[in-house]
Amino acid sequence: MPITEQDKERILSQCKRFLAMHYPRSPREVLHDLTEFADPEAKADRYGGGELITSFEEEIAHLLGKEAAVFMPSGTMCQPIALRIWCERKGRKRVAYHPTCHLEIHEHDAYQRLHGLERVLLGAEQHLFTLEDLKSVPEALGALLIELPQREIGGQLPSWEELVEITSWARERGIATHLDGARLWECKPFYQREYAEIAGLFDSVYVSFYKVLDGIAGAVLAGPADVIAEARIWQRRQGGNLISLYPYVLSARQGMQKHLGRIDEYCAKAREIAAALSDLPQIEILPNPPQTNMLHLFLRGDRERLVDAAWRVAEETQTVLFRMLTPTLVPQYSKFELSIGSASLEIPTEEIVPLFRRVFELAE
Amino acid sequence: MPITEQDKERILSQCKRFLAMHYPRSPREVLHDLTEFADPEAKADRYGGGELITSFEEEIAHLLGKEAAVFMPSGTMCQPIALRIWCERKGRKRVAYHPTCHLEIHEHDAYQRLHGLERVLLGAEQHLFTLEDLKSVPEALGALLIELPQREIGGQLPSWEELVEITSWARERGIATHLDGARLWECKPFYQREYAEIAGLFDSVYVSFYKVLDGIAGAVLAGPADVIAEARIWQRRQGGNLISLYPYVLSARQGMQKHLGRIDEYCAKAREIAAALSDLPQIEILPNPPQTNMLHLFLRGDRERLVDAAWRVAEETQTVLFRMLTPTLVPQYSKFELSIGSASLEIPTEEIVPLFRRVFELAE
């Protein structure tokens, strides 16, 4: 009998271990934790003003080595705004990015519909783009967006040398460089460099506070003071300059304190898990070894039976491995994205292979 | 010696009574109250999906007599989106509204810069606009926005008959009607009609959850199902379709429970206070009597001395009357906006006149 949504609810509520990310918290638990975390003396931010939000923006600007920063509700708000400002300044309304860029696949063409920009796709969606891909663009570019790591291909990163080459080439040609740092926090172990040095290759940078930091939502755009001042006007226009953003700001600050110091552990665990699962003939891993705390796992077998089996294993072992699988173009293979966090660390790596073995066994 | 910002902080922290709105709460207090309020079983909303947000949207849609509703971070996000959708459908990119409309004075021309709309101003900023003002527009209109109550002129409302006339005239000409209901909750006592009946005169309506409802932030756009479905796409484009909005949704829901049933009291208190203060020759009140829980008070005297005096009175009596005054065009007169809420009710009206007398005395 296939697993129903109610079954899933019931199984989840009994699960004690989670392979991905952090232990799930209910809104009530998150709000309780935030209440404990909030300074009793702190005053609500008001339309982007006030110590609570300003001091956090300054901290992030400093951490990223930028002059200024602005807290916004989302990266979807930050990034087209940054690109529009750069393109206006450069007098060229065209931006270049990877085919799997968030702007391309998740934003309903906001860059074009709201900001009148055009885009050029760099390289193919299966790989990182290269300097050659960038050089081959025949049209004038106003800005270049690079996502570190490239989420849709398993969180891959270019080498430091390539990154320097690409951003230098753009800078020499007067093309603004913007860093999509949705998962920038997760890149430090790979580059073994400070955030300010990585962000230093770019004119502007967006970072996120949910994902590995486990905040409720929220983002920061950092860059030169004049660009950030202009971004605040666009934030207002887009309806993101709220009377108060403190639930997100406090939760971002708490997330930084809880998780930023543990990124090394998360990334090491990702490599460990990938190494262990590489023994299973039914699993392919991208990238292998992982370069951040993320890996994409491609499972061989019937997709529905595999998902069903994962839920059965969750029921048997109180351990959630994955909840769904996405089809791929390759027959017999479907995939899921695994990001490693504090909950993942609680599952000994040697127990993970037998759990997946059991999934494949049940799915046969 | 003039009052410094530090003085104000110190005085505020000792104050026990507040003439305006509700007792101030710190972020920590708000988060604590929300934690208590949140259902332990409730799950976080996810990109606009999930029972927590959907059930609230349905409740508001029902209350406003509309087919569907979408929760957004702000009214600044809701309204240009609604107008853009209507204008596209009507094939006319021009909207008409009052000169003090939020879109005109607080949004950096977002309607034009993001959505390519044009606007026509109706009437003069000192009054409500009339049907005659609307009829005198020589250009084709796609949409008409009416703000109930008109905040910048003290929260004035047209009579029900005028409102019906204006919206009918627009509807007959194929002009979409949108209600800026930033303070719609406060209109019920004046019209003595259900919210659904008031909103029923309009094709779409925006309502807000902070202001009198004391939520953290947040707004809802309600209207026909197809318009709301399209609005969700624009919300996504503008960066307002957050992974989780539950702090705002829960706080909106809590605000409805706490304050919606007390609007009558707040409005009655506003009328009482206006009647009492009308005895003072140094005060003019707009509108008088108030039509909602709002009144604008115009004080005669030196602006800086009056503000200073109000802070002295706050220090003497632990009662905050007003914190600042805005200049007006009329020499000798400056103004502040007073909105009545639960904190206001705790100050007996007969004590309010002597408090203002004392302000004028100290400011002489």
Side-chain angles (χ1 to χ4, degrees):
Chain A
M1 231 173 57
I3 304 244
T4 65
E5 287 307 310
Q6 289 93 311
D7 291 333
K8 291 180 187 176
E9 286 287 321
R10 177 181 48 79
I11 294 169
L12 263 186
S13 70
Q14 292 159 358
C15 280
K16 302 269 188 299
R17 302 197 303 179
F18 299 84
L19 184 60
M21 277 293 195
H22 311 299
Y23 287 100
R25 291 179 297 161
S26 68
R28 187 187 171 108
E29 288 166 320
V30 173
L31 292 167
H32 174 269
D33 293 350
L34 268 194
T35 307
E36 299 287 295
F37 179 75
D39 176 350
E41 298 302 309
K43 290 194 176 48
D45 56 306
R46 198 174 159 84
Y47 295 118
E51 166 75 10
L52 186 149
I53 194 166
T54 307
S55 64
F56 185 68
E57 288 169 341
E58 284 167 4
E59 261 178 55
I60 300 297
H62 179 76
L63 183 64
L64 298 172
K66 298 298 178 202
E67 256 190 312
V70 53
F71 192 96
M72 294 198 194
S74 70
T76 303
M77 190 174 289
C78 288
Q79 299 204 104
I81 287 177
L83 295 175
R84 188 218 175 101
I85 294 171
W86 287 123
C87 284
E88 276 197 5
R89 290 177 183 217
K90 302 294 182 182
R92 297 186 293 273
K93 63 178 173 181
R94 200 167 297 112
V95 301
Y97 53 59
H98 191 265
T100 67
C101 176
H102 197 274
L103 277 77
E104 185 68 15
I105 64 177
H106 289 305
E107 301 181 10
H108 300 287
D109 303 328
Y111 69 89
Q112 190 265 317
R113 302 286 289 270
L114 290 171
H115 292 289
L117 303 178
E118 298 172 359
R119 60 88 172 123
V120 172
L121 302 180
L122 297 170
E125 62 178 56
Q126 300 82 358
H127 311 105
L128 293 175
F129 71 82
T130 63
L131 179 57
E132 288 314 305
D133 292 321
L134 181 59
K135 283 182 179 172
S136 74
V137 176
E139 300 173 292
L141 297 175
L144 167 68
L145 178 148
I146 302 181
E147 184 185 352
L148 298 180
Q150 196 70 53
R151 184 249 181 116
E152 296 294 334
I153 48 172
Q156 292 182 53
L157 289 166
S159 71
W160 179 254
E161 292 66 33
E162 282 172 284
L163 194 58
V164 170
E165 263 197 335
I166 291 171
T167 50
S168 304
W169 189 91
R171 181 164 294 107
E172 283 158 19
R173 277 146 195 86
I175 301 167
T177 50
H178 172 78
L179 168 55
D180 178 340
R183 292 168 183 76
L184 174 64
W185 311 122
E186 294 88 319
C187 297
K188 199 173 164 183
F190 178 83
Y191 289 124
Q192 290 291 306
R193 289 166 195 273
E194 294 304 317
Y195 293 117
E197 195 176 353
I198 303 170
L201 300 179
F202 297 85
D203 296 311
S204 58
V205 50
Y206 137 71
V207 289
S208 176
F209 299 103
Y210 56 108
K211 310 177 180 91
V212 80
L213 297 186
D214 204 28
I216 304 173
V220 153
L221 178 68
D226 58 333
V227 170
I228 298 307
E230 191 173 347
R232 288 180 184 277
I233 303 294
W234 285 108
Q235 175 185 13
R236 177 88 191 173
R237 286 191 183 116
Q238 291 191 196
N241 176 233
L242 307 193
I243 183 165
S244 285
L245 280 164
Y246 64 77
Y248 296 131
V249 177
L250 290 171
S251 141
R253 190 185 275 285
Q254 188 180 36
M256 300 281 288
Q257 288 188 15
K258 270 207 247 173
H259 298 290
L260 203 59
R262 307 190 69 186
I263 301 284
D264 274 342
E265 281 177 85
Y266 302 158
C267 293
K269 180 77 171 181
R271 292 192 300 274
E272 251 187 53
I273 292 174
L277 289 176
S278 296
D279 291 344
L280 290 178
Q282 306 96 326
I283 295 187
E284 298 297 331
I285 294 170
L286 183 75
N288 200 359
Q291 297 172 304
T292 64
N293 69 324
M294 175 190 283
L295 46 161
H296 282 191
L297 290 95
F298 298 79
L299 274 53
R300 185 178 178 89
D302 179 79
R303 185 166 71 97
E304 285 184 22
R305 294 179 60 89
L306 284 166
V307 171
D308 229 51
W311 282 103
R312 298 288 173 211
V313 169
E315 194 167 25
E316 285 174 10
T317 67
Q318 282 84 62
T319 308
V320 180
L321 298 174
F322 57 89
R323 302 173 191 206
M324 52 179 289
L325 292 170
T326 314
T328 73
L329 271 178
V330 181
Q332 297 299 322
Y333 279 93
S334 51
K335 74 168 183 176
F336 74 100
E337 177 176 285
L338 175 61
S339 295
I340 300 303
S342 52
S344 326
L345 300 183
E346 303 301 315
I347 309 181
T349 303
E350 61 271 22
E351 290 183 34
I352 295 173
V353 173
L355 287 166
F356 274 91
R357 275 225 176 83
R358 176 78 181 137
V359 169
F360 289 113
E361 199 176 289
L362 286 172
E364 264 169 24
Chain B
M1 230 174 57
I3 304 244
T4 65
E5 287 306 310
Q6 289 92 310
D7 290 334
K8 291 180 187 176
E9 286 288 321
R10 178 181 47 79
I11 294 169
L12 263 186
S13 70
Q14 292 160 359
C15 281
K16 303 269 188 298
R17 302 197 303 179
F18 300 84
L19 183 59
M21 277 293 194
H22 311 298
Y23 287 100
R25 291 179 297 162
S26 68
R28 188 186 170 108
E29 288 166 320
V30 173
L31 292 167
H32 175 268
D33 294 349
L34 268 194
T35 307
E36 298 287 295
F37 179 75
D39 176 350
E41 298 302 309
K43 291 195 176 47
D45 56 305
R46 199 174 159 83
Y47 294 118
E51 166 74 11
L52 186 150
I53 194 166
T54 307
S55 64
F56 185 67
E57 288 169 340
E58 284 167 5
E59 262 178 53
I60 300 296
H62 179 77
L63 183 64
L64 298 172
K66 297 299 178 200
E67 255 190 312
V70 53
F71 192 96
M72 295 197 194
S74 70
T76 303
M77 190 174 289
C78 288
Q79 299 204 104
I81 287 176
L83 295 175
R84 188 217 175 103
I85 293 171
W86 287 124
C87 284
E88 277 198 4
R89 289 176 184 219
K90 302 293 182 182
R92 297 186 293 273
K93 63 178 173 181
R94 199 168 297 112
V95 301
Y97 54 60
H98 191 265
T100 67
C101 176
H102 197 274
L103 277 76
E104 185 67 15
I105 64 177
H106 289 305
E107 301 181 10
H108 300 288
D109 304 328
Y111 69 89
Q112 190 265 317
R113 302 286 290 270
L114 290 171
H115 293 289
L117 303 178
E118 298 172 359
R119 61 89 172 123
V120 172
L121 302 180
L122 297 170
E125 63 178 55
Q126 300 81 359
H127 311 105
L128 293 174
F129 72 82
T130 63
L131 179 58
E132 288 314 305
D133 292 321
L134 181 59
K135 283 182 178 173
S136 73
V137 175
E139 300 173 291
L141 296 176
L144 167 68
L145 178 149
I146 302 182
E147 184 185 353
L148 298 180
Q150 196 70 52
R151 185 249 181 116
E152 296 294 333
I153 49 173
Q156 292 182 53
L157 289 166
S159 71
W160 180 254
E161 292 66 33
E162 283 172 284
L163 194 57
V164 170
E165 263 196 337
I166 291 171
T167 50
S168 304
W169 189 91
R171 182 165 293 106
E172 283 158 19
R173 278 148 194 86
I175 301 167
T177 50
H178 172 78
L179 168 54
D180 178 340
R183 292 167 184 77
L184 174 65
W185 311 122
E186 295 88 319
C187 297
K188 199 173 164 182
F190 179 83
Y191 288 124
Q192 290 292 306
R193 289 167 195 272
E194 294 304 317
Y195 293 117
E197 195 176 353
I198 303 170
L201 300 179
F202 296 85
D203 296 311
S204 58
V205 50
Y206 137 71
V207 290
S208 177
F209 299 102
Y210 56 108
K211 310 177 180 89
V212 80
L213 297 186
D214 204 28
I216 303 173
V220 153
L221 177 68
D226 58 333
V227 170
I228 298 307
E230 192 173 347
R232 288 180 185 277
I233 302 295
W234 284 108
Q235 175 185 14
R236 177 87 191 172
R237 285 190 183 115
Q238 291 191 196
N241 176 234
L242 307 192
I243 183 165
S244 285
L245 280 164
Y246 63 77
Y248 296 124
V249 177
L250 290 171
S251 140
R253 190 185 274 284
Q254 187 179 36
M256 301 282 288
Q257 289 188 16
K258 271 206 246 173
H259 299 290
L260 203 59
R262 307 190 69 186
I263 301 284
D264 274 342
E265 280 178 85
Y266 301 158
C267 294
K269 181 77 171 181
R271 292 192 300 274
E272 251 186 53
I273 292 174
L277 290 176
S278 296
D279 291 344
L280 290 178
Q282 306 96 325
I283 296 187
E284 298 297 331
I285 293 170
L286 183 76
N288 201 358
Q291 297 171 303
T292 64
N293 69 324
M294 175 189 283
L295 47 161
H296 282 191
L297 290 95
F298 298 79
L299 275 52
R300 186 178 176 89
D302 179 79
R303 186 166 71 97
E304 285 184 21
R305 295 178 60 89
L306 284 166
V307 171
D308 228 50
W311 282 103
R312 298 288 173 211
V313 169
E315 193 167 24
E316 285 174 10
T317 66
Q318 282 85 61
T319 308
V320 179
L321 298 174
F322 56 90
R323 302 174 191 205
M324 52 179 290
L325 292 170
T326 314
T328 73
L329 271 178
V330 181
Q332 297 299 321
Y333 279 92
S334 51
K335 75 168 181 175
F336 73 99
E337 177 177 285
L338 176 61
S339 295
I340 300 303
S342 53
S344 326
L345 300 182
E346 303 301 315
I347 310 181
T349 303
E350 61 271 22
E351 290 183 33
I352 294 173
V353 173
L355 287 165
F356 274 91
R357 276 225 177 83
R358 177 76 181 140
V359 169
F360 289 113
E361 199 176 288
L362 286 172
E364 264 169 24

